[in-house]
Amino acid sequence: MKRIMIVDDSGTARMFVRRCFEIVGHRDAGYVEAANGEEALAKLKDAPADLLVTDLTMPVMDGRELLTRVKASPRLTDMPVMIVTSAANEAAENELLKQGAQAILHKPVNPATLSTALEPLLPSDKEY
Amino acid sequence: MNLPAPAIEEALTQATAGAIENLAFREVRQPDDDDPGCPVYPALRAAIPILEPEEGRFVLDIPPALAAELTGIIHGLADAPDEALLNDTLAEVANTVAGRFMAAITPPGSAFRLGLPDVSTVNEGGPAGVAITLCIEEVCFHVQVDGPGFTG
């Protein structure tokens, strides 16, 4: 079972992202949610996820800091990171990709764009 | 940003319509002559600081009943949402609209940065800025930006 971590301070945003994952074939994944980067790192202490999906603008620890810490950690650095945000344009996206993000999606995410972005990162176990 | 008011208004309209239609599958339209008065207040306000490239503020003022309806659609609720869910959903809708708006008006090669949303109840509109009124069916709501970079 794949383990997908969704990090966003909005419960609504986490629900929306999770629903899109389920629609594109990841209904049986294990979902772990966190409200900010600090909480996410605590939940990743025991094991990395198969995919980390994070917002950028969050209290306590934002998504940029979370990305930096993940990519600096020998234990977590290979974990794919997908940014789902409303707060990015081309300039910011290029910077995030340089920092190690594998994909960047704009809010509100939809199943079609998520499916395309996921293909190289997290192949679906199921036909749908 | 020093954009003319019509350009800001158009960007606000497109950002709002796109976000709400994608999140809640509701069509957003501009008010017409058949929308007398279009009362918005008292309203729930989601305000988001705009931190870069110019300081300002994005504001979404929406009647509570419409906010509850959108929350119900987004979450698939049969009953009325509680206050926490209503506020969280409104904040996320505003965050999505604000991001789309800023992405549309920020010059290529420049980044922008938004702060965290805050939701409150207000009885009247905000200070001078560039504001638009939009409707979902017969219910109107306001979207506004204000601050030094958004005077129009």
Side-chain angles (χ1 to χ4, degrees):
Chain A
M1 182 174 72
K2 292 188 174 71
R3 186 168 181 247
I4 299 170
M5 172 168 273
I6 302 172
V7 190
D8 198 306
D9 56 318
S10 165
T12 299
R14 295 196 302 269
M15 176 280 297
F16 209 84
V17 169
R18 179 174 174 161
R19 189 188 292 169
C20 286
F21 269 90
E22 290 170 349
I23 289 170
V24 303
H26 296 285
R27 290 181 188 82
D28 299 327
Y31 291 94
V32 183
E33 297 189 9
N36 58 64
E38 191 173 281
E39 197 179 311
L41 288 174
K43 290 184 175 179
L44 290 167
K45 199 174 173 186
D46 295 331
D50 292 291
L51 177 66
L52 172 65
V53 183
T54 183
D55 185 24
L56 286 182
T57 306
M58 296 180 289
V60 185
M61 182 192 292
D62 67 19
R64 285 183 179 84
E65 179 65 19
L66 174 60
L67 175 63
T68 300
R69 298 230 191 162
V70 163
K71 292 305 169 186
S73 162
R75 198 171 55 81
L76 299 175
T77 191
D78 291 333
M79 180 174 61
V81 178
M82 172 184 285
I83 309 284
V84 175
T85 183
S86 59
N89 60 358
E90 194 177 338
E93 288 172 17
N94 289 336
E95 193 57 38
L96 290 164
L97 292 170
K98 276 187 205 164
Q99 287 176 30
Q102 272 82 4
I104 299 163
L105 299 184
H106 295 174
K107 289 184 177 181
V109 66
N110 66 63
T113 53
L114 178 65
S115 180
T116 303
L118 275 179
E119 238 166 65
L121 302 179
L122 194 68
S124 175
D125 294 332
K126 288 182 171 183
E127 292 294 324
Y128 56 90
Chain B
M1 308 294 282
N2 292 325
L3 288 172
I8 295 175
E9 291 168 2
E10 177 62 19
L12 283 174
T13 300
Q14 294 300 324
T16 306
I20 291 179
E21 286 169 15
N22 277 285
L23 282 167
F25 315 110
R26 298 301 305 272
E27 186 180 351
V28 174
R29 65 175 177 85
Q30 295 187 317
D32 53 35
D33 294 341
D34 295 330
D35 297 308
C38 234
V40 171
Y41 300 95
L44 286 174
R45 167 172 294 171
I48 299 178
I50 300 169
L51 306 173
E52 293 176 6
E54 302 266 5
E55 286 193 7
R57 185 179 66 148
F58 171 89
V59 173
L60 171 65
D61 286 349
I62 188 166
L66 179 57
E69 183 185 339
L70 295 178
T71 299
I73 293 168
I74 290 169
H75 289 272
L77 304 176
D79 300 321
D82 63 28
E83 186 180 350
L85 186 62
L86 188 66
N87 290 351
D88 183 77
T89 305
L90 185 57
E92 184 58 17
V93 170
N95 187 44
T96 303
V97 176
R100 282 176 166 239
F101 167 71
M102 289 303 296
I105 66 162
T106 304
S110 300
F112 65 88
R113 196 160 61 92
L114 299 171
L116 295 170
D118 178 64
V119 177
S120 59
T121 301
V122 294
N123 291 313
E124 58 185 19
V130 179
I132 57 169
T133 299
L134 296 169
C135 303
I136 295 176
E137 292 189 353
E138 306 308 316
V139 184
C140 295
F141 60 98
H142 288 172
V143 187
Q144 176 176 324
V145 284
D146 53 52
F150 303 93
T151 55

